[in-house]
Amino acid sequence: MANLNDIMTLADSLGEQRVLVVKDRCTCVKNRHSTCSRCEDICPTGAITLGPNRVELMSAQCEGCGACTTVCPTEALVPLDPTDAELRQRVAAARKATGSTLYFACARMHAKQLADPSRYAVVPCLARVEESLLMEQILDGVDRVVLIDGNCSNCKLQVCGPIVQMVASTTNDLLAARGNDVRVERVSAFPDELVDASQQEMDLGAERRAALLGSAQSVKGVMGKAIGALAQIQASKDSTSATVLEAMGLTDRDDPAKHVGDPERQVTLLDCLYELGENEDAQVVTRFFGAFAHDNVKCRKCGVCARVCPTDALKQVRYRKNGISRVSLEFSASECLQCHLCEDICFRSCITVSPLVSLADVFSFDPVRFPCSPAQAKAEAEEAAAEAAAAAGESTSAEGSAAKAEAEVAAVGSSAEVAAADPAVD
């Protein structure tokens, strides 16, 4: 049985942790050739360190801005303060007061007490807000989104500013491509409709008591999570990522030793885009999904690129056609995370993944086949052309037969009409 010291130790550990690292989802951990460094590059305090088969986060240095959790393509970094579920609750509470307009404010702006806090959702930094959350709310009836960030150039988290702009721009581009008129705005001051003069006279004593009560409830929640985790690991002090995920009410989506599965945010975004508009044949530059190019002259059919793909967006298929054994790569744009691990692993530089994505490819949901040799590519192109010509010939023949039948029917009808009009005609 766990003793009180065990419980307090784990509670302290979880209480200090603002971001959970699920190492088995990280491409750098999965393969030492991965060049992904998005989380390390964006961290304003240098709390994240990447290396071959390694990712480390120093909780003591972490500011909890959430930028790393936004940029990670495989969701190897899970936000805990707030969690995605908690942030949705904040959004729901704010929307009760504002209706179809959704406001977000960073903690720095919130601390100035210039507006009614019941009318906006507070995040540590606006870099914590990501596209799937915004799309989800827009699909649910939000017709205006406003990000209130003050002056990022004076903030200690200013390095996160480009992420905020990237999320807003990506969301707007995707909305435009789907024919939706809602747009995400970014402002540096609270809009007039949020300003509440009475906030200036807030009872600071009541505010402190509320803060203390919130802290007590937070500790109580962490203690409950700690007790649950300890019950699962039989008082072991070295909890694993999977155990902590379960303790936080989260679950891993697939066998972490093999694939990460489809990250929930990307699935949510795809579902929302599908529901928001008609399938438009538009191209969008986005950090989601991906466009795949393959040089079959250089390819040696090793298949390593497909084996390391974390979502199975890329597969190697072997088959026979016309008595010939063939090898191809199949790529599904909707499942690609742009982690670029297939590019990184290819020692012959055969592969390129681009952010310029065709939404028609994304929503076709059919994989595109890339033959792994020039001869095979030529043969399959000729076969496809012959099949298309044959199909066109059959269609032409069918149309001709139908036209002939119609002409015969018309001729018979004309003869009958003539006979009826001239009794002398036998």
Side-chain angles (χ1 to χ4, degrees):
M1 289 292 293
N3 59 39
L4 183 59
N5 287 335
D6 291 326
I7 294 173
M8 291 302 297
T9 298
L10 186 53
D12 288 342
S13 175
L14 291 176
E16 294 170 359
Q17 201 169 355
R18 295 182 175 94
V19 174
L20 174 65
V21 181
V22 187
K23 295 185 178 182
D24 290 325
R25 294 183 194 170
C26 178
T27 60
C28 292
V29 173
K30 290 172 70 67
N31 195 286
R32 61 189 176 87
H33 295 289
S34 175
T35 60
C36 183
S37 60
R38 299 176 208 186
C39 59
E40 187 178 42
D41 293 341
I42 199 59
C43 183
T45 62
I48 300 175
T49 304
L50 297 172
N53 304 117
R54 184 173 66 92
V55 56
E56 301 292 342
L57 186 147
M58 292 168 280
S59 296
Q61 289 182 225
C62 177
E63 288 285 345
C65 64
C68 60
T69 70
T70 294
V71 300
C72 180
T74 60
E75 296 182 23
L77 298 167
V78 180
L80 301 181
D81 186 20
T83 65
D84 282 351
E86 289 169 343
L87 183 52
R88 285 187 176 91
Q89 291 174 357
R90 295 182 187 182
V91 167
R95 285 186 60 187
K96 285 182 179 179
T98 59
S100 61
T101 302
L102 176 57
Y103 299 95
F104 290 93
C106 66
R108 184 166 172 250
M109 285 295 288
H110 172 67
K112 295 180 180 180
Q113 300 181 7
L114 298 176
D116 182 354
S118 69
R119 299 174 66 83
Y120 58 84
V122 182
V123 286
C125 171
L126 289 177
R128 171 65 180 81
V129 179
E130 43 79 31
E131 294 90 338
S132 72
L133 173 64
L134 299 179
M135 286 291 188
E136 196 174 41
Q137 297 303 315
I138 291 168
L139 183 62
D140 191 45
V142 166
D143 59 19
R144 185 187 177 206
V145 179
V146 183
L147 307 179
I148 309 163
D149 60 13
N151 188 347
C152 285
S153 63
N154 295 331
C155 179
K156 62 181 178 181
L157 305 177
Q158 60 181 279
V159 68
C160 300
I163 300 302
V164 180
Q165 188 58 46
M166 176 193 69
V167 168
S169 297
T170 299
T171 304
N172 288 338
D173 289 346
L174 290 171
L175 288 168
R178 300 301 280 165
N180 191 287
D181 295 330
V182 179
R183 293 294 179 268
V184 180
E185 307 168 29
R186 190 177 175 189
V187 299
S188 58
F190 281 112
D192 293 341
E193 57 267 31
L194 295 187
V195 175
D196 183 356
S198 65
Q199 290 294 113
Q200 303 293 339
E201 302 173 3
M202 182 181 294
D203 183 348
L204 296 180
E207 185 183 16
R208 291 192 187 99
R209 287 194 296 274
L212 287 172
L213 178 60
S215 298
Q217 291 173 340
S218 176
V219 170
K220 182 179 179 181
V222 169
M223 288 290 288
K225 294 171 184 176
I227 293 170
L230 282 165
Q232 293 177 16
I233 61 178
Q234 295 296 312
S236 171
K237 296 179 182 178
D238 298 321
S239 60
T240 63
S241 292
T243 302
V244 177
L245 275 174
E246 293 170 7
M248 299 305 297
L250 304 169
T251 57
D252 208 353
R253 291 176 291 279
D254 205 345
D255 178 4
K258 185 179 180 183
H259 295 290
V260 302
D262 295 326
E264 292 175 3
R265 290 176 175 177
Q266 180 141 329
V267 172
T268 299
L269 179 65
L270 186 64
D271 289 344
C272 291
L273 286 173
Y274 185 80
E275 295 293 335
L276 277 173
E278 296 296 325
N279 294 349
E280 306 255 346
D281 188 11
Q283 288 190 318
V284 182
V285 176
T286 171
R287 66 192 183 96
F288 296 95
F289 319 120
F292 181 83
H294 173 247
D295 187 341
N296 57 31
V297 175
K298 296 179 181 178
C299 183
R300 290 296 177 265
K301 309 177 187 179
C302 67
V304 174
C305 55
R307 288 198 292 273
V308 301
C309 180
T311 62
D312 281 339
L314 187 64
K315 298 178 181 178
Q316 187 184 63
V317 293
R318 296 178 180 271
Y319 53 99
R320 291 182 67 83
K321 187 174 182 180
N322 297 332
I324 303 172
S325 296
R326 308 188 182 192
V327 181
S328 292
L329 294 174
E330 287 187 345
F331 177 75
S332 298
S334 61
E335 297 179 12
C336 179
L337 306 178
Q338 288 191 45
C339 69
H340 296 278
L341 190 53
C342 57
E343 278 187 83
D344 297 336
I345 199 70
C346 182
F347 66 96
R348 297 187 67 86
S349 302
C350 303
I351 293 172
T352 304
V353 177
S354 166
L356 181 60
V357 180
S358 166
L359 292 185
D361 290 342
V362 171
F363 289 108
S364 72
F365 299 111
D366 291 324
V368 178
R369 184 167 286 181
F370 295 83
C372 289
S373 74
Q376 181 184 327
K378 181 180 179 182
E380 294 196 2
E382 292 173 349
E383 291 165 357
E387 290 171 0
E394 291 176 1
S395 176
T396 302
S397 176
E399 290 174 359
S401 298
K404 183 178 179 180
E406 288 177 3
E408 291 174 351
V409 170
V412 171
S414 297
S415 297
E417 289 175 3
V418 170
D422 187 358
V425 177
D426 186 3

